[in-house]
Amino acid sequence: MTAEVVEARALPLARLAALPGVSTASGVASAAEHARTTGRVLPVSPALSGLLPAAGLRRGSTVSVLGSTSLMLTLLAAATAGGAWAVAVGLPTLGVVAAAELGVEVGRLALVPRPGPEFPAVTAALLDGFDLVVVGPGLARPDVARRLSARARNRGSVLLSLGSWPGAEVELSCRRSRWTGFTGDGAGYLRAREVEVRTGGRGAAARPRSVLLRFPGEGEVRKADFPTPAPATVARWGTA
């Protein structure tokens, strides 16, 4: 292949890459690294980073979590520990002690347990002032959900839904879980809970991924190996 042919083939690619909104693979990787170092991506536990396209919570994004309040709280832990502010809206039974045990800096966690019919206006205002806004399940109609996601994009906040959310870029779901600590005869103490987390979504999150996490009673959430089949008396899988 002559130098002239190489140059002729490279020219259209260079022109395409120069268009607004078009990036090469190396450009995308560089942008992701730059975002991590300039605060555009809020950190998460290392056990969760592989499930998220930017290895963290990208500002302006909407993430839904299905089936586990513990997983939602774990998403807040590293960000609040690093100085980010979070607020939970419409979650009257959220346990502050449980949040602290999962690593959330509760001094940076605000609670709006019952927003009532003013939920859209309250949440929109909170997106203006908080880094992370967690909303309870079933509070937003599809049109309201779209407006709030647009607000998060414009304000650079992260909108986290405990439950399905129309148009979420990333969806994390807990498919099964089991408790460890039992002996073969059913005795013993509950020590940890292993949860299989799967991810999906749109764009960079479209490729499904899964990881098994271990939630301890206290301390940092860790990855766990996928279990081999065991007798039902040792561990039973259930809902997360």
Side-chain angles (χ1 to χ4, degrees), residues 160-186:
L160 296 153
S161 170
L162 188 59
S164 180
W165 189 272
E169 288 94 336
V170 181
E171 182 177 278
L172 302 175
S173 60
C174 293
R175 299 302 179 92
R176 57 180 184 170
S177 69
R178 71 171 185 174
W179 287 94
T180 63
F182 291 116
T183 62
D185 58 1

Side-chain angles (χ1 to χ4, degrees), residues 96-182:
V96 176
V97 173
E101 289 179 346
L102 288 167
V104 177
E105 175 51 65
V106 294
R108 293 182 175 273
L109 174 65
L111 303 176
V112 184
R114 294 179 175 86
E118 299 302 319
F119 167 78
V122 168
T123 305
L126 293 171
L127 286 167
D128 292 348
F130 282 82
D131 301 291
L132 304 116
V133 178
V134 181
V135 299
L139 295 176
R141 302 189 311 270
D143 58 324
V144 173
R146 287 191 292 270
R147 290 201 300 270
L148 291 176
S149 290
R151 186 97 175 194
R153 284 194 299 272
N154 292 335
R155 297 295 189 262
S157 302
V158 179
L159 180 60
L160 296 153
S161 170
L162 188 59
S164 180
W165 189 272
E169 288 94 336
V170 181
E171 182 177 278
L172 302 175
S173 60
C174 293
R175 299 302 179 92
R176 57 180 184 170
S177 69
R178 71 171 185 174
W179 287 94
T180 63
F182 291 116

Side-chain angles (χ1 to χ4, degrees), residues 4-235:
E4 291 78 7
V5 172
V6 172
E7 183 179 358
R9 291 186 177 181
L11 185 59
L13 179 59
R15 289 176 176 172
L16 180 62
L19 292 175
V22 177
S23 301
T24 62
S26 60
V28 170
S30 298
E33 179 60 28
H34 178 69
R36 282 192 291 271
T37 59
T38 57
R40 289 180 54 197
V41 175
L42 298 174
V44 296
S45 165
L48 293 173
S49 61
L51 294 174
L52 300 168
L57 295 169
R58 182 180 56 80
R59 288 185 178 274
S61 65
T62 300
V63 178
S64 65
V65 177
L66 309 180
S68 177
T69 304
S70 296
L71 177 59
M72 174 64 77
L73 292 173
T74 302
L75 284 172
L76 303 180
T80 55
W85 286 86
V87 58
V89 186
L91 291 166
T93 62
L94 183 68
V96 176
V97 173
E101 289 179 346
L102 288 167
V104 177
E105 175 51 65
V106 294
R108 293 182 175 273
L109 174 65
L111 303 176
V112 184
R114 294 179 175 86
E118 299 302 319
F119 167 78
V122 168
T123 305
L126 293 171
L127 286 167
D128 292 348
F130 282 82
D131 301 291
L132 304 116
V133 178
V134 181
V135 299
L139 295 176
R141 302 189 311 270
D143 58 324
V144 173
R146 287 191 292 270
R147 290 201 300 270
L148 291 176
S149 290
R151 186 97 175 194
R153 284 194 299 272
N154 292 335
R155 297 295 189 262
S157 302
V158 179
L159 180 60
L160 296 153
S161 170
L162 188 59
S164 180
W165 189 272
E169 288 94 336
V170 181
E171 182 177 278
L172 302 175
S173 60
C174 293
R175 299 302 179 92
R176 57 180 184 170
S177 69
R178 71 171 185 174
W179 287 94
T180 63
F182 291 116
T183 62
D185 58 1
Y189 294 94
L190 297 176
R191 298 187 181 277
R193 183 163 62 101
E194 294 180 350
V195 179
E196 182 187 359
V197 180
R198 296 186 183 182
T199 183
R202 301 184 290 111
R207 183 169 65 88
R209 303 175 187 176
S210 64
V211 66
L212 190 69
L213 302 181
R214 177 174 290 117
F215 290 92
E218 295 184 5
E220 185 178 356
V221 173
R222 301 183 302 275
K223 285 186 179 181
D225 295 329
F226 278 89
T228 55
T233 56
V234 175

